[in-house]
């Protein structure tokens, strides 16, 4: 009962924060770095981040998928993308601080293959800034990208209420 109470209160906090932030600044983008092990994290730390995504309280989510094995990383990203179901962009978190550069590149490829909308690298330090990022810029991240949460909004018009097709 305590865990459910805690999760419910954290959900209320996330909802209220999102609503108030958007009231003050309507174009703000709200994200969260979340524990990767859903639904376990719902009971362990009170993060029901799939609900936050589906309710629209987040504009994008960044699961902290810091693992030393590509197979674990792949399983996490695949699960997360499926759980969110396109409600918001998913940026998989790569633990660049615990893996070599060649594995960072492999995890970027895995993120893309599993349908993640992007990736984040943790954590910015001297080695990441001076060694890893220049390597990425020459290869796997050399092409310009538009972040999904900054992409233009596309709206489709359906048939009119009277059933007639839209001719605009």
């Amino acid at each position: 009962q305590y865990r459910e109470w805690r999760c419910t209160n954290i959900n209320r906090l996330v909802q209220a924060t999102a609503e108030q932030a958007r009231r003050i600044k309507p174009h703000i983008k709200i994200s969260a770095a979340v524990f990767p092990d859903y639904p376990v994290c719902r009971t362990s730390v009170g993060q029901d981040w799939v609900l936050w995504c589906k309710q629209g309280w987040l504009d994008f989510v960044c699961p902290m998928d810091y693992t030393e094995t590509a197979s674990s990383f792949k399983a996490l990203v695949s699960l997360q993308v499926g759980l969110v179901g396109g409600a918001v962009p998913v940026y998989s978190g790569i633990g660049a601080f615990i893996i070599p550069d060649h594995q960072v590149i492999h995890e970027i490829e895995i993120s893309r293959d599993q349908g993640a909308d992007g990736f984040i690298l943790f954590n910015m330090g001297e080695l990441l800034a001076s060694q890893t990022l220049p390597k990425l810029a020459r290869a796997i991240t050399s092409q310009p990208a538009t972040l999904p949460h900054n992409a233009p909004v596309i709206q489709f018009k359906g048939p009119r209420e009277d059933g007639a097709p839209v001719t605009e």
Side-chain angles (χ1 to χ4, degrees):
Q1 288 176 330
Y2 166 75
R3 288 180 177 159
E4 190 60 36
W5 173 85
R6 178 177 63 169
C7 188
T8 298
N9 280 304
I10 292 171
N11 290 344
R12 287 182 189 149
L13 175 65
V14 172
Q15 179 183 12
T17 301
E19 289 172 354
Q20 290 301 313
R22 289 186 177 119
R23 185 183 60 74
I24 295 166
K25 189 172 184 178
H27 299 294
I28 195 169
K29 299 298 180 187
I30 300 170
S31 68
V34 298
F35 282 75
D37 56 346
Y38 192 89
V40 174
C41 63
R42 191 180 180 285
T43 54
S44 65
V45 293
Q47 286 188 346
D48 193 350
W49 57 264
V50 171
L51 175 73
W52 306 346
C53 294
K54 292 189 175 184
Q55 291 296 318
W57 303 334
L58 298 181
D59 295 296
F60 59 102
V61 66
C62 308
M64 298 179 285
D65 298 328
Y66 313 149
T67 177
E68 295 184 41
T69 67
S71 60
S72 295
F73 183 82
K74 180 178 180 178
L76 285 170
V77 175
S78 177
L79 176 67
Q80 294 154 355
V81 168
L83 287 168
V84 171
V88 299
V90 174
Y91 299 155
S92 53
I94 298 173
F97 69 103
I98 60 171
I99 58 176
D101 290 348
H102 71 275
Q103 189 170 338
V104 170
I105 292 167
H106 185 54
E107 290 189 4
I108 292 170
E109 292 170 335
I110 290 170
S111 293
R112 292 173 175 172
D113 290 345
Q114 296 305 306
D117 300 286
F119 64 91
I120 58 172
L121 302 177
F122 186 82
N123 70 333
M124 181 56 79
E126 185 178 338
L127 284 177
L128 183 63
S130 66
Q131 294 179 22
T132 306
L133 292 181
K135 290 177 188 175
L136 298 178
R138 289 190 302 269
I140 196 161
T141 62
S142 63
Q143 298 300 310
T146 299
L147 298 175
H149 67 273
N150 285 335
V153 174
I154 300 172
Q155 294 181 330
F156 296 95
K157 294 184 180 183
R160 297 187 329 209
E161 288 185 24
D162 64 4
V166 175
T167 57
E168 303 172 24

